Each structure stands twice: as C-alpha cells, then as structure tokens.
Amino acid sequence: MLNTTTYVQELQQKLTLLKKEIGKAVIGQEDTVEQLLIALLASGHALLEGVPGLGKTLLIRSVAQALHLKFRRIQFTPDLMPSDIVGTSILQEDESGQRKFKFIPGPLFANIILADEINRTPPKTQAALLEAMQEKSVTYSGKTYKMQAPYFILATQNPLEQAGTFPLPEAQLDRFLLYIQMEYPESADELEVLRQTTGSKQAAIEPVLSQQEVLDLQHWAREVTVHDDLLSWINRLVRATRSGSDSPQEVKDWVQWGAGTRAGQALVVCAKARALIKGRYAVTPEDIEALAKPVLRHRILLNFKAEADGVSPDRVIEALLSKVRPTKA
C-alpha cells in the first residue's frame, strides 16, 4: 500500500511539472490548461472554443509536446472527406504476386488528436469522428481497428465566424466530455506574452509523462472517492436542467432540452480527476462547482426566448448552482 501511495504521489508531482512545461509556451490560461488535463485524466475528449489569436492550437500542441505520446494535427476544411481522417485501402501486391487491399490508417490513429477548427468541415466528416470518440475504434470495410490508449481528441472552434462553418450537432457535442471556453488573458499575462514571444528564443518543452504513466493516472482518477451526498447533488443538478414542476424558474423560462444521464457521469469522473490533480483522494463540492459549466454548457439546449433575452447556458448553470445545493457539506 505504501509503494502504491508513493507512486501516486510521484505522479501527482509530475502533473505539477507538466503544468510548468506547458507554461513555458502558454502564458496564463491556468483554468484552461487544468480543464484540458482533467479531460485527459478522465479519459474523455474536449472541445476548446475561443476567438482567433488566443493560442488554442499552441496550447494543445504544447500539451502534446509535454507528453510521451503520438500526436497528429488535422486541419478541418470544407473539402475534407471521411477517408482523409479515418484512412483508406490501397491495392498491394505481395511476394507471391497476389493482390490484396491493405488498410492505411489515417491521422485519427494517434494518442492525441488536434481537430483544428472542427466546425469548418461538413457533417459527413464530422460524423466520422463519432465512432472514434465514443468507441475508441474505427470500422472500415467491415473490420474494426482499435485505437491505442490513451486516446484524446481535442477539437477547436471559432465562435465568431458563421460563413463557411457547420455547427456541431447536439449528438456530437455530447461526445465531448468538456466544452472549454478560452477567455482573453489577464493584462499581466498578455504583457508577458509580448515580452517572451517576440524575440528569437523559443521555449523548449520537455516531455514529462510517459504513456504508461498517463494510463496509470487515468486509473487512479477513477479510484478517487465521491461521497453519496455529492453523488446525490450531481444527480439533482443534472435533473434540474430538465423542465419540470420542481425545476428552477430559469430552466422553465429558458431551457428547451436539459442534460442527459451522460452529463452526470461526466461531472463525476471530471470531479474525480480534478481532485487527483489537486492532490486529494476525495471529491469536494468545490470540484463539482468548478466543472459544472464546462460539463453542462454544451448539454443544455436553450429555447428562442433565451436567445431573444441574450441568455447563455452559463447563466442558467449559475442559477442552478445557487438554487440546487448539496444536502451536506
């Protein structure tokens, strides 16, 4: 037991080093970095949204560089086809002269996938991601090809431009464990970005965690304890997003469809991962409150009245957190 505890503590220390390595290239954005690592430890995928120029691609590339994992970037464009990302078969001749089709894996076959500007490609290609995201495998010509663990898809999108984009359908949004919104940096952080990134020297990011260590962290994240009172709170939070007689007034006024059961599962595993990152082995209410927005914001469908009133999903979630409280601290 002592050896196991010591090993887990060493892994937690490496998570701190991992943040420092990422910080060499990405100044500030601590919450965004933490949420990306939570998604990784929770064995899920993340959708990162932010205006151009905030360094979304740089952030994801820096995370990949700090890990001993295979990384591939896919630039999503309107002419991208499913075979461009999944792979294709080519006809090859073997030593005996017989011709056979051989499957050539596409860029989806890596440990970390950057799906850059995912909303710029048509639904047909977006849908090609669904099986890989949910099942962590790809079926081609009747044969299933498993992805190598850990498998982590990080997608980015620009919230400003509408022309030439294809919004992700709700079914695919739900496959993302977290919907992370990247904000403008603080003034001091932005000044430091200007100071460090406009010279000739570029920071070198050193890999910190191995493939096996990432897998071990994913395992131990699942072992973190969640008290029944907190599980009950998560259950009531998710159910409160659905319009009903006992729902908060904000939900009745603004929500068309609430979150499904997967939202509760996501909130539990993400809270566990956050607790482990913070050096704890039990989930606290703070973990749940910190992750309610990135877990729920893409799983709540607002109605026309909410759009007319300028209401965002985050505002609804804030109302839920203030009115649906844990029964025991």
Side-chain angles (χ1 to χ4, degrees), residues 209-264:
L209 288 172
S210 68
Q211 181 179 10
Q212 186 58 52
E213 287 172 332
V214 173
L215 292 174
D216 290 341
L217 279 167
Q218 291 179 340
H219 167 75
W220 288 109
R222 293 271 177 167
E223 295 296 315
V224 172
T225 302
V226 185
H227 196 276
D228 284 345
D229 290 332
L230 294 181
L231 281 176
S232 176
W233 183 33
I234 291 173
N235 186 45
R236 289 186 291 112
L237 272 174
V238 173
R239 293 182 64 84
T241 65
R242 308 162 195 166
S243 184
S245 59
D246 57 345
S247 299
Q249 191 61 43
E250 290 84 355
V251 172
K252 296 176 182 177
D253 291 343
W254 295 324
V255 176
Q256 181 176 353
W257 293 102
T261 305
R262 187 183 283 129

Side-chain angles (χ1 to χ4, degrees), residues 6 67 119 197 215 234:
T6 302
L67 300 169
N119 58 334
T197 61
L215 292 174
I234 291 173

Side-chain angles (χ1 to χ4, degrees), residues 145-208:
Y145 300 87
K146 289 288 185 182
M147 305 301 189
Q148 188 181 42
Y151 191 65
F152 190 29
I153 292 180
L154 289 162
T156 69
Q157 68 178 14
N158 173 4
L160 298 182
E161 297 175 345
Q162 301 298 324
T165 62
F166 305 85
L168 295 174
E170 280 70 21
Q172 185 162 351
L173 280 173
D174 194 42
R175 261 65 175 191
F176 287 102
L177 190 69
L178 294 180
Y179 182 4
I180 304 169
Q181 292 182 339
M182 194 170 180
E183 306 293 343
Y184 288 109
E186 299 291 336
S187 177
D189 292 334
E190 194 162 10
L191 177 61
E192 193 63 27
V193 169
L194 299 179
R195 182 178 291 113
Q196 292 191 18
T197 61
T198 54
S200 58
K201 293 184 179 180
Q202 298 295 324
I205 298 177
E206 299 294 331
V208 174

Side-chain angles (χ1 to χ4, degrees), residues 17-63:
L17 294 176
L18 180 64
K19 290 182 180 179
K20 290 182 179 179
E21 289 297 319
I22 296 171
K24 290 180 180 179
V26 181
I27 310 300
Q29 301 292 354
E30 287 86 359
D31 289 344
T32 302
V33 171
E34 182 176 271
Q35 289 174 27
L36 285 177
L37 296 182
I38 286 170
L40 175 63
L41 265 60
S43 306
H45 311 289
L47 177 62
L48 181 60
E49 182 182 85
V51 300
L54 292 184
K56 298 185 296 295
T57 302
L58 173 64
L59 171 58
I60 295 173
R61 187 181 295 277
S62 301
V63 172

Side-chain angles (χ1 to χ4, degrees), residues 70 72 74 83-88 103-110:
K70 185 179 180 181
R72 295 294 298 272
I74 307 172
S83 59
D84 294 329
I85 65 174
V86 173
T88 187
F103 177 67
I104 305 299
L108 278 185
F109 287 82

Side-chain angles (χ1 to χ4, degrees), residues 127-138:
L129 284 173
L130 284 176
E131 183 183 5
M133 293 174 66
Q134 185 66 28
E135 306 297 335
K136 298 183 179 177
S137 65
V138 164

